[in-house]
Amino acid sequence: MIFGVVSLSILVRGLTVSPLLRWLGIVRGRQERAAYELTRGNLQALYAPLAELDRMSQVHFTNEEVMANLRHGYEQKIELNKAALDELHLEKEHLHTEELQWAHRHLLLVEKDKVMEPFRNGILSQPVYEKLLVDIDSPLFPLESDQTDESTAEP
């Protein structure tokens, strides 16, 4: 009888903990994260054809009406994805925080790349280069460790 009570207790707790933690907002659901990543990925993918349309209009002598129609179609898709992304932000505040952290991390990495290039070309000395890297790495390190923690937190 004790074995049955313990087994039932473990089974009930095991099945209810995950929904309870999601309901309390302690653990994020995979669906909202997947929707966020999909929408952001769509946006990134849709900006590439717009840039290519700009390049094509400068290099090739194509019909301006055709180019305008193509541009309008992509701009509509971008606006739909932006609206979906904004809706996710309004519903899920942590997604907004994650995007802010991602953008900050990305900008710091761009900054780091711009410091490495003059060093490789011999424009910056070793001590100056190391000082600049320390200045960039100090705010970057916490962002890097947060990303590592998040990637290992969700299976």
Side-chain angles (χ1 to χ4, degrees):
M1 186 158 153
I2 294 173
F3 178 75
V5 170
V6 170
S7 298
L8 185 62
S9 174
I10 291 172
L11 181 66
V12 169
R13 287 184 192 166
L15 293 175
T16 58
V17 168
S18 181
L20 177 66
L21 291 176
R22 245 183 264 124
W23 181 74
L24 291 172
I26 296 171
V27 176
R28 292 176 244 158
R30 291 181 187 167
Q31 295 87 2
E32 65 194 40
R33 180 68 182 163
Y36 172 75
E37 287 182 15
L38 178 65
T39 305
R40 196 163 102 183
N42 280 336
L43 271 174
Q44 289 173 343
L46 289 169
Y47 278 110
L50 284 180
E52 182 62 18
L53 282 173
D54 289 340
R55 191 190 69 74
M56 286 171 58
S57 67
Q58 293 172 358
V59 175
H60 306 288
F61 297 104
T62 56
N63 186 331
E64 288 184 27
E65 184 179 337
V66 170
M67 299 296 271
N69 285 338
L70 289 169
R71 176 173 297 286
H72 181 69
Y74 279 106
E75 287 172 347
Q76 282 182 326
K77 290 178 184 179
I78 287 171
E79 290 305 315
L80 288 172
N81 278 279
K82 281 184 176 180
L85 200 59
D86 288 342
E87 188 176 306
L88 282 171
H89 283 270
L90 292 175
E91 293 175 5
K92 310 296 179 195
E93 186 62 32
H94 63 272
L95 293 177
H96 178 71
T97 304
E98 284 181 11
E99 184 173 344
L100 181 63
Q101 287 178 336
W102 174 85
H104 188 215
R105 179 181 170 273
H106 177 73
L107 292 173
L108 287 169
L109 290 172
V110 168
E111 192 177 337
K112 192 172 184 175
D113 283 344
K114 291 302 175 185
V115 168
M116 289 176 160
E117 186 177 333
F119 174 70
R120 283 189 294 245
N121 293 332
I123 297 170
L124 290 178
S125 67
Q126 181 79 26
V128 171
Y129 170 70
E130 289 174 359
K131 168 70 173 118
L132 290 171
L133 282 185
V134 167
D135 291 344
I136 295 169
D137 284 341
S138 59
L140 181 61
F141 181 71
L143 296 172
E144 292 284 340
S145 61
D146 284 348
Q147 265 201 335
T148 304
D149 293 343
E150 286 177 9
S151 66
T152 57
E154 288 185 29

